[in-house]
Short mmCIF file of all heavy atoms in Angstrom, two decimals:
data_model
loop_
_atom_site.label_atom_id
_atom_site.label_comp_id
_atom_site.label_asym_id
_atom_site.label_seq_id
_atom_site.Cartn_x
_atom_site.Cartn_y
_atom_site.Cartn_z
N MET A 30 -22.37 -12.81 -1.61
CA MET A 30 -21.22 -13.66 -1.83
C MET A 30 -20.45 -13.30 -3.11
O MET A 30 -19.23 -13.31 -3.09
CB MET A 30 -21.68 -15.12 -1.87
CG MET A 30 -20.53 -16.07 -1.79
SD MET A 30 -19.61 -15.85 -0.28
CE MET A 30 -19.30 -17.50 0.14
N PRO A 31 -21.13 -12.97 -4.22
CA PRO A 31 -20.37 -12.60 -5.42
C PRO A 31 -19.52 -11.34 -5.21
O PRO A 31 -18.46 -11.22 -5.80
CB PRO A 31 -21.44 -12.34 -6.48
CG PRO A 31 -22.63 -13.11 -6.02
CD PRO A 31 -22.56 -13.09 -4.52
N LEU A 32 -19.99 -10.43 -4.37
CA LEU A 32 -19.21 -9.23 -4.10
C LEU A 32 -17.89 -9.57 -3.41
O LEU A 32 -16.85 -8.99 -3.73
CB LEU A 32 -20.02 -8.26 -3.23
CG LEU A 32 -19.35 -6.92 -2.93
CD1 LEU A 32 -19.05 -6.18 -4.23
CD2 LEU A 32 -20.23 -6.09 -2.04
N VAL A 33 -17.91 -10.53 -2.52
CA VAL A 33 -16.68 -10.97 -1.83
C VAL A 33 -15.72 -11.59 -2.84
O VAL A 33 -14.51 -11.33 -2.81
CB VAL A 33 -17.02 -11.95 -0.70
CG1 VAL A 33 -15.77 -12.53 -0.10
CG2 VAL A 33 -17.86 -11.27 0.36
N ALA A 34 -16.24 -12.40 -3.76
CA ALA A 34 -15.40 -13.04 -4.77
C ALA A 34 -14.76 -12.00 -5.68
O ALA A 34 -13.58 -12.11 -6.04
CB ALA A 34 -16.22 -14.03 -5.59
N VAL A 35 -15.51 -10.98 -6.05
CA VAL A 35 -14.97 -9.92 -6.90
C VAL A 35 -13.89 -9.15 -6.15
O VAL A 35 -12.83 -8.81 -6.72
CB VAL A 35 -16.10 -8.98 -7.37
CG1 VAL A 35 -15.54 -7.74 -8.04
CG2 VAL A 35 -17.04 -9.71 -8.30
N ALA A 36 -14.12 -8.87 -4.88
CA ALA A 36 -13.13 -8.14 -4.08
C ALA A 36 -11.84 -8.95 -3.94
O ALA A 36 -10.74 -8.40 -4.07
CB ALA A 36 -13.70 -7.81 -2.71
N VAL A 37 -11.96 -10.24 -3.69
CA VAL A 37 -10.78 -11.09 -3.55
C VAL A 37 -10.02 -11.16 -4.88
O VAL A 37 -8.78 -11.09 -4.91
CB VAL A 37 -11.17 -12.50 -3.06
CG1 VAL A 37 -10.02 -13.46 -3.17
CG2 VAL A 37 -11.67 -12.41 -1.63
N ALA A 38 -10.75 -11.28 -5.98
CA ALA A 38 -10.11 -11.32 -7.30
C ALA A 38 -9.39 -10.01 -7.59
O ALA A 38 -8.27 -10.01 -8.13
CB ALA A 38 -11.14 -11.62 -8.37
N ALA A 39 -9.99 -8.90 -7.23
CA ALA A 39 -9.36 -7.60 -7.46
C ALA A 39 -8.08 -7.46 -6.63
O ALA A 39 -7.07 -6.94 -7.12
CB ALA A 39 -10.34 -6.48 -7.12
N LEU A 40 -8.12 -7.92 -5.40
CA LEU A 40 -6.92 -7.88 -4.56
C LEU A 40 -5.81 -8.76 -5.12
O LEU A 40 -4.64 -8.38 -5.12
CB LEU A 40 -7.25 -8.30 -3.13
CG LEU A 40 -8.02 -7.27 -2.31
CD1 LEU A 40 -8.43 -7.88 -0.97
CD2 LEU A 40 -7.18 -6.03 -2.08
N ALA A 41 -6.18 -9.94 -5.61
CA ALA A 41 -5.19 -10.85 -6.18
C ALA A 41 -4.55 -10.25 -7.43
O ALA A 41 -3.33 -10.31 -7.61
CB ALA A 41 -5.83 -12.19 -6.51
N ILE A 42 -5.36 -9.64 -8.28
CA ILE A 42 -4.83 -9.02 -9.49
C ILE A 42 -3.95 -7.83 -9.13
O ILE A 42 -2.89 -7.63 -9.73
CB ILE A 42 -5.98 -8.62 -10.44
CG1 ILE A 42 -6.63 -9.87 -11.01
CG2 ILE A 42 -5.47 -7.73 -11.57
CD1 ILE A 42 -7.90 -9.61 -11.78
N GLY A 43 -4.35 -7.06 -8.15
CA GLY A 43 -3.54 -5.93 -7.71
C GLY A 43 -2.20 -6.38 -7.16
O GLY A 43 -1.16 -5.79 -7.47
N PHE A 44 -2.22 -7.42 -6.35
CA PHE A 44 -0.97 -7.94 -5.79
C PHE A 44 -0.07 -8.47 -6.90
O PHE A 44 1.15 -8.26 -6.89
CB PHE A 44 -1.26 -9.04 -4.77
CG PHE A 44 -0.03 -9.59 -4.12
CD1 PHE A 44 0.68 -8.84 -3.20
CD2 PHE A 44 0.44 -10.85 -4.45
CE1 PHE A 44 1.83 -9.33 -2.61
CE2 PHE A 44 1.58 -11.35 -3.87
CZ PHE A 44 2.28 -10.59 -2.94
N GLU A 45 -0.66 -9.15 -7.88
CA GLU A 45 0.10 -9.67 -9.00
C GLU A 45 0.77 -8.54 -9.78
O GLU A 45 1.93 -8.65 -10.17
CB GLU A 45 -0.82 -10.47 -9.91
CG GLU A 45 -0.14 -11.08 -11.10
CD GLU A 45 -1.11 -11.85 -11.98
OE1 GLU A 45 -2.22 -12.16 -11.53
OE2 GLU A 45 -0.73 -12.13 -13.12
N GLN A 46 0.06 -7.44 -9.98
CA GLN A 46 0.63 -6.31 -10.70
C GLN A 46 1.77 -5.66 -9.92
O GLN A 46 2.78 -5.26 -10.51
CB GLN A 46 -0.46 -5.27 -11.00
CG GLN A 46 -1.48 -5.74 -12.00
CD GLN A 46 -0.89 -6.01 -13.36
OE1 GLN A 46 -0.04 -5.27 -13.84
NE2 GLN A 46 -1.31 -7.10 -13.97
N ILE A 47 1.63 -5.59 -8.61
CA ILE A 47 2.70 -5.02 -7.78
C ILE A 47 3.94 -5.90 -7.84
O ILE A 47 5.06 -5.40 -7.98
CB ILE A 47 2.22 -4.84 -6.32
CG1 ILE A 47 1.20 -3.71 -6.25
CG2 ILE A 47 3.40 -4.57 -5.39
CD1 ILE A 47 0.51 -3.58 -4.91
N VAL A 48 3.76 -7.21 -7.76
CA VAL A 48 4.89 -8.13 -7.83
C VAL A 48 5.58 -8.00 -9.18
O VAL A 48 6.82 -7.94 -9.26
CB VAL A 48 4.43 -9.59 -7.58
CG1 VAL A 48 5.51 -10.58 -7.96
CG2 VAL A 48 4.05 -9.76 -6.12
N GLN A 49 4.80 -7.94 -10.26
CA GLN A 49 5.40 -7.83 -11.59
C GLN A 49 6.13 -6.50 -11.75
O GLN A 49 7.21 -6.45 -12.32
CB GLN A 49 4.33 -7.96 -12.66
CG GLN A 49 4.91 -7.93 -14.07
CD GLN A 49 3.85 -8.08 -15.13
OE1 GLN A 49 2.67 -8.10 -14.85
NE2 GLN A 49 4.28 -8.18 -16.37
N TRP A 50 5.57 -5.43 -11.22
CA TRP A 50 6.20 -4.13 -11.35
C TRP A 50 7.52 -4.07 -10.58
O TRP A 50 8.52 -3.55 -11.06
CB TRP A 50 5.24 -3.05 -10.83
CG TRP A 50 5.87 -1.72 -10.67
CD1 TRP A 50 6.29 -0.87 -11.66
CD2 TRP A 50 6.19 -1.08 -9.44
NE1 TRP A 50 6.83 0.27 -11.10
CE2 TRP A 50 6.79 0.16 -9.75
CE3 TRP A 50 6.02 -1.43 -8.11
CZ2 TRP A 50 7.21 1.04 -8.76
CZ3 TRP A 50 6.44 -0.56 -7.13
CH2 TRP A 50 7.02 0.66 -7.47
N LYS A 51 7.52 -4.64 -9.37
CA LYS A 51 8.70 -4.52 -8.53
C LYS A 51 9.77 -5.57 -8.84
O LYS A 51 10.96 -5.27 -8.79
CB LYS A 51 8.29 -4.63 -7.06
CG LYS A 51 9.41 -4.30 -6.12
CD LYS A 51 8.94 -4.02 -4.74
CE LYS A 51 10.11 -3.59 -3.89
NZ LYS A 51 9.76 -3.26 -2.55
N TYR A 52 9.36 -6.80 -9.17
CA TYR A 52 10.32 -7.88 -9.33
C TYR A 52 10.41 -8.42 -10.75
O TYR A 52 11.13 -9.37 -11.01
CB TYR A 52 9.99 -9.02 -8.37
CG TYR A 52 10.01 -8.57 -6.94
CD1 TYR A 52 8.85 -8.44 -6.20
CD2 TYR A 52 11.20 -8.23 -6.33
CE1 TYR A 52 8.86 -8.00 -4.90
CE2 TYR A 52 11.24 -7.78 -5.03
CZ TYR A 52 10.06 -7.67 -4.32
OH TYR A 52 10.08 -7.21 -3.03
N GLY A 53 9.69 -7.83 -11.68
CA GLY A 53 9.80 -8.19 -13.09
C GLY A 53 9.16 -9.52 -13.42
O GLY A 53 8.35 -10.07 -12.66
N PRO A 54 9.54 -10.07 -14.55
CA PRO A 54 8.93 -11.31 -15.03
C PRO A 54 9.18 -12.50 -14.09
O PRO A 54 8.32 -13.37 -13.95
CB PRO A 54 9.58 -11.55 -16.37
CG PRO A 54 10.26 -10.30 -16.75
CD PRO A 54 10.45 -9.50 -15.51
N MET A 55 10.34 -12.54 -13.46
CA MET A 55 10.62 -13.66 -12.55
C MET A 55 9.69 -13.64 -11.35
O MET A 55 9.25 -14.68 -10.88
CB MET A 55 12.08 -13.61 -12.09
CG MET A 55 12.54 -14.89 -11.50
SD MET A 55 12.41 -16.17 -12.75
CE MET A 55 13.27 -17.45 -11.96
N GLY A 56 9.36 -12.47 -10.86
CA GLY A 56 8.40 -12.36 -9.77
C GLY A 56 7.02 -12.82 -10.19
O GLY A 56 6.31 -13.48 -9.42
N LEU A 57 6.63 -12.49 -11.41
CA LEU A 57 5.34 -12.94 -11.93
C LEU A 57 5.30 -14.45 -12.08
O LEU A 57 4.32 -15.09 -11.69
CB LEU A 57 5.05 -12.27 -13.27
CG LEU A 57 3.71 -12.60 -13.90
CD1 LEU A 57 2.57 -12.13 -13.01
CD2 LEU A 57 3.60 -11.97 -15.27
N ILE A 58 6.37 -15.03 -12.60
CA ILE A 58 6.44 -16.49 -12.74
C ILE A 58 6.36 -17.15 -11.37
O ILE A 58 5.65 -18.15 -11.19
CB ILE A 58 7.74 -16.90 -13.48
CG1 ILE A 58 7.66 -16.45 -14.94
CG2 ILE A 58 7.98 -18.40 -13.39
CD1 ILE A 58 8.97 -16.56 -15.68
N ALA A 59 7.06 -16.63 -10.39
CA ALA A 59 7.04 -17.19 -9.05
C ALA A 59 5.64 -17.09 -8.43
O ALA A 59 5.16 -18.04 -7.82
CB ALA A 59 8.05 -16.50 -8.16
N PHE A 60 4.99 -15.95 -8.61
CA PHE A 60 3.64 -15.77 -8.06
C PHE A 60 2.65 -16.72 -8.72
O PHE A 60 1.81 -17.32 -8.04
CB PHE A 60 3.19 -14.31 -8.25
CG PHE A 60 1.84 -14.03 -7.68
CD1 PHE A 60 1.66 -13.99 -6.31
CD2 PHE A 60 0.75 -13.81 -8.50
CE1 PHE A 60 0.41 -13.74 -5.78
CE2 PHE A 60 -0.49 -13.56 -7.98
CZ PHE A 60 -0.67 -13.52 -6.61
N VAL A 61 2.75 -16.89 -10.04
CA VAL A 61 1.86 -17.81 -10.74
C VAL A 61 2.12 -19.24 -10.30
O VAL A 61 1.19 -20.02 -10.07
CB VAL A 61 2.01 -17.65 -12.27
CG1 VAL A 61 1.31 -18.77 -13.02
CG2 VAL A 61 1.46 -16.30 -12.71
N ALA A 62 3.39 -19.62 -10.15
CA ALA A 62 3.71 -20.98 -9.70
C ALA A 62 3.17 -21.23 -8.30
O ALA A 62 2.61 -22.31 -8.02
CB ALA A 62 5.22 -21.21 -9.73
N LEU A 63 3.30 -20.26 -7.43
CA LEU A 63 2.78 -20.39 -6.07
C LEU A 63 1.26 -20.53 -6.09
O LEU A 63 0.70 -21.40 -5.42
CB LEU A 63 3.20 -19.20 -5.22
CG LEU A 63 2.74 -19.18 -3.78
CD1 LEU A 63 3.32 -20.36 -3.02
CD2 LEU A 63 3.15 -17.87 -3.12
N THR A 64 0.59 -19.70 -6.87
CA THR A 64 -0.86 -19.75 -6.94
C THR A 64 -1.36 -21.05 -7.53
O THR A 64 -2.28 -21.69 -6.99
CB THR A 64 -1.39 -18.56 -7.77
OG1 THR A 64 -0.89 -17.36 -7.21
CG2 THR A 64 -2.89 -18.53 -7.79
N VAL A 65 -0.76 -21.48 -8.65
CA VAL A 65 -1.18 -22.73 -9.29
C VAL A 65 -0.90 -23.91 -8.37
O VAL A 65 -1.73 -24.82 -8.26
CB VAL A 65 -0.47 -22.89 -10.65
CG1 VAL A 65 -0.65 -24.28 -11.21
CG2 VAL A 65 -0.98 -21.86 -11.64
N GLY A 66 0.23 -23.91 -7.72
CA GLY A 66 0.56 -25.00 -6.80
C GLY A 66 -0.41 -25.09 -5.64
O GLY A 66 -0.81 -26.18 -5.24
N LEU A 67 -0.82 -23.95 -5.11
CA LEU A 67 -1.78 -23.97 -4.00
C LEU A 67 -3.15 -24.44 -4.46
O LEU A 67 -3.81 -25.22 -3.76
CB LEU A 67 -1.87 -22.58 -3.37
CG LEU A 67 -0.66 -22.14 -2.56
CD1 LEU A 67 -0.82 -20.69 -2.11
CD2 LEU A 67 -0.45 -23.04 -1.36
N LYS A 68 -3.59 -23.98 -5.62
CA LYS A 68 -4.91 -24.38 -6.11
C LYS A 68 -4.94 -25.85 -6.48
O LYS A 68 -5.96 -26.52 -6.31
CB LYS A 68 -5.33 -23.52 -7.29
CG LYS A 68 -5.72 -22.13 -6.88
CD LYS A 68 -6.33 -21.36 -8.02
CE LYS A 68 -6.67 -19.98 -7.52
NZ LYS A 68 -7.80 -19.41 -8.19
N ALA A 69 -3.83 -26.36 -7.02
CA ALA A 69 -3.76 -27.77 -7.42
C ALA A 69 -3.33 -28.67 -6.28
O ALA A 69 -3.25 -29.89 -6.46
CB ALA A 69 -2.80 -27.93 -8.60
N ARG A 70 -3.05 -28.09 -5.13
CA ARG A 70 -2.55 -28.83 -3.97
C ARG A 70 -1.29 -29.62 -4.30
O ARG A 70 -1.11 -30.76 -3.89
CB ARG A 70 -3.63 -29.75 -3.41
CG ARG A 70 -4.82 -29.00 -2.88
CD ARG A 70 -5.83 -29.93 -2.26
NE ARG A 70 -7.02 -29.19 -1.90
CZ ARG A 70 -7.40 -28.99 -0.65
NH1 ARG A 70 -6.67 -29.45 0.33
NH2 ARG A 70 -8.50 -28.32 -0.41
N ASN A 71 -0.42 -28.97 -5.07
CA ASN A 71 0.86 -29.56 -5.45
C ASN A 71 1.95 -28.84 -4.69
O ASN A 71 2.28 -27.68 -4.99
CB ASN A 71 1.05 -29.43 -6.97
CG ASN A 71 2.25 -30.19 -7.46
OD1 ASN A 71 3.21 -30.43 -6.72
ND2 ASN A 71 2.21 -30.60 -8.72
N THR A 72 2.53 -29.52 -3.72
CA THR A 72 3.52 -28.86 -2.86
C THR A 72 4.82 -28.55 -3.59
O THR A 72 5.51 -27.59 -3.22
CB THR A 72 3.82 -29.72 -1.62
OG1 THR A 72 4.27 -31.00 -2.04
CG2 THR A 72 2.59 -29.86 -0.76
N ALA A 73 5.17 -29.33 -4.60
CA ALA A 73 6.41 -29.09 -5.32
C ALA A 73 6.35 -27.76 -6.07
O ALA A 73 7.27 -26.93 -5.98
CB ALA A 73 6.70 -30.24 -6.28
N ILE A 74 5.27 -27.54 -6.79
CA ILE A 74 5.14 -26.31 -7.58
C ILE A 74 5.00 -25.10 -6.66
O ILE A 74 5.64 -24.06 -6.87
CB ILE A 74 3.96 -26.41 -8.56
CG1 ILE A 74 4.24 -27.48 -9.60
CG2 ILE A 74 3.71 -25.07 -9.24
CD1 ILE A 74 3.10 -27.74 -10.54
N SER A 75 4.17 -25.22 -5.63
CA SER A 75 4.00 -24.09 -4.72
C SER A 75 5.30 -23.82 -3.96
O SER A 75 5.63 -22.66 -3.67
CB SER A 75 2.84 -24.32 -3.76
OG SER A 75 3.05 -25.47 -2.98
N GLY A 76 6.05 -24.85 -3.64
CA GLY A 76 7.33 -24.67 -2.96
C GLY A 76 8.34 -23.94 -3.82
O GLY A 76 9.06 -23.06 -3.35
N VAL A 77 8.38 -24.29 -5.10
CA VAL A 77 9.30 -23.62 -6.02
C VAL A 77 8.93 -22.14 -6.14
O VAL A 77 9.79 -21.26 -6.09
CB VAL A 77 9.29 -24.31 -7.40
CG1 VAL A 77 9.97 -23.45 -8.45
CG2 VAL A 77 9.94 -25.67 -7.32
N GLY A 78 7.64 -21.86 -6.28
CA GLY A 78 7.19 -20.47 -6.37
C GLY A 78 7.52 -19.70 -5.11
O GLY A 78 7.98 -18.55 -5.17
N ALA A 79 7.32 -20.32 -3.96
CA ALA A 79 7.60 -19.64 -2.69
C ALA A 79 9.10 -19.38 -2.53
O ALA A 79 9.50 -18.29 -2.09
CB ALA A 79 7.08 -20.48 -1.53
N VAL A 80 9.92 -20.33 -2.91
CA VAL A 80 11.37 -20.16 -2.79
C VAL A 80 11.86 -19.04 -3.70
O VAL A 80 12.68 -18.21 -3.29
CB VAL A 80 12.11 -21.49 -3.09
CG1 VAL A 80 13.59 -21.28 -3.31
CG2 VAL A 80 11.87 -22.49 -1.98
N ILE A 81 11.34 -18.99 -4.92
CA ILE A 81 11.75 -17.93 -5.84
C ILE A 81 11.34 -16.57 -5.29
O ILE A 81 12.12 -15.61 -5.34
CB ILE A 81 11.16 -18.17 -7.24
CG1 ILE A 81 11.78 -19.42 -7.86
CG2 ILE A 81 11.42 -16.96 -8.14
CD1 ILE A 81 11.14 -19.84 -9.16
N LEU A 82 10.11 -16.47 -4.77
CA LEU A 82 9.67 -15.19 -4.19
C LEU A 82 10.54 -14.78 -3.02
O LEU A 82 10.91 -13.61 -2.88
CB LEU A 82 8.21 -15.28 -3.76
CG LEU A 82 7.17 -15.05 -4.85
CD1 LEU A 82 5.76 -15.25 -4.30
CD2 LEU A 82 7.30 -13.68 -5.46
N VAL A 83 10.88 -15.72 -2.16
CA VAL A 83 11.73 -15.40 -1.00
C VAL A 83 13.10 -14.95 -1.47
O VAL A 83 13.67 -13.99 -0.93
CB VAL A 83 11.82 -16.62 -0.06
CG1 VAL A 83 12.94 -16.45 0.96
CG2 VAL A 83 10.51 -16.85 0.64
N MET A 84 13.63 -15.61 -2.48
CA MET A 84 14.95 -15.20 -3.01
C MET A 84 14.90 -13.80 -3.61
O MET A 84 15.82 -13.00 -3.42
CB MET A 84 15.44 -16.22 -4.04
CG MET A 84 15.84 -17.54 -3.42
SD MET A 84 16.24 -18.83 -4.62
CE MET A 84 17.52 -18.10 -5.56
N LEU A 85 13.82 -13.48 -4.30
CA LEU A 85 13.67 -12.13 -4.86
C LEU A 85 13.52 -11.09 -3.75
O LEU A 85 14.08 -10.00 -3.84
CB LEU A 85 12.47 -12.07 -5.81
CG LEU A 85 12.64 -12.79 -7.15
CD1 LEU A 85 11.32 -12.83 -7.89
CD2 LEU A 85 13.69 -12.11 -7.99
N LEU A 86 12.76 -11.41 -2.72
CA LEU A 86 12.58 -10.49 -1.62
C LEU A 86 13.89 -10.28 -0.85
O LEU A 86 14.21 -9.17 -0.43
CB LEU A 86 11.50 -10.99 -0.67
CG LEU A 86 10.07 -10.93 -1.20
CD1 LEU A 86 9.13 -11.67 -0.26
CD2 LEU A 86 9.63 -9.50 -1.37
N ALA A 87 14.66 -11.35 -0.65
CA ALA A 87 15.93 -11.25 0.07
C ALA A 87 16.95 -10.45 -0.74
O ALA A 87 17.75 -9.71 -0.18
CB ALA A 87 16.47 -12.63 0.38
N GLN A 88 16.90 -10.58 -2.05
CA GLN A 88 17.84 -9.89 -2.91
C GLN A 88 17.60 -8.39 -2.91
O GLN A 88 18.54 -7.60 -2.94
CB GLN A 88 17.71 -10.43 -4.33
CG GLN A 88 18.68 -9.84 -5.31
CD GLN A 88 18.47 -10.39 -6.71
OE1 GLN A 88 17.43 -10.93 -7.02
NE2 GLN A 88 19.47 -10.26 -7.54
N SER A 89 16.33 -7.99 -2.85
CA SER A 89 16.02 -6.56 -2.92
C SER A 89 16.23 -5.85 -1.58
O SER A 89 16.31 -4.64 -1.52
CB SER A 89 14.58 -6.35 -3.37
OG SER A 89 13.69 -6.79 -2.37
N GLY A 90 16.30 -6.61 -0.48
CA GLY A 90 16.41 -6.01 0.84
C GLY A 90 17.74 -5.66 1.23
O GLY A 90 18.67 -5.14 1.09
#
């Protein structure tokens, strides 16, 4: 079980680095807001993070 947790954490950190590299600080803020909102079960914070990420993705496309 600890190996699975380490693998998931590594994937999350890798994804976070890719978002920060491609979308800059605003992408990192959006990813953190989405993650914190999901862990805290706060729909407002996770919704704001998701909307910002979608706007960044739509802008780059």
Side-chain angles (χ1 to χ4, degrees):
M30 192 60 139
L32 183 60
V33 173
V35 170
V37 169
L40 286 173
I42 291 171
F44 182 72
E45 180 180 345
Q46 291 297 319
I47 289 171
V48 167
Q49 183 179 6
W50 169 70
K51 189 163 184 179
Y52 301 109
M55 196 61 169
L57 182 63
I58 291 169
F60 182 71
V61 168
L63 180 62
T64 305
V65 168
L67 288 174
K68 286 189 181 210
R70 296 184 186 247
N71 188 334
T72 57
I74 294 175
S75 60
V77 167
V80 166
I81 293 172
L82 277 177
V83 167
M84 289 173 57
L85 288 171
L86 289 170
Q88 183 181 19
S89 68

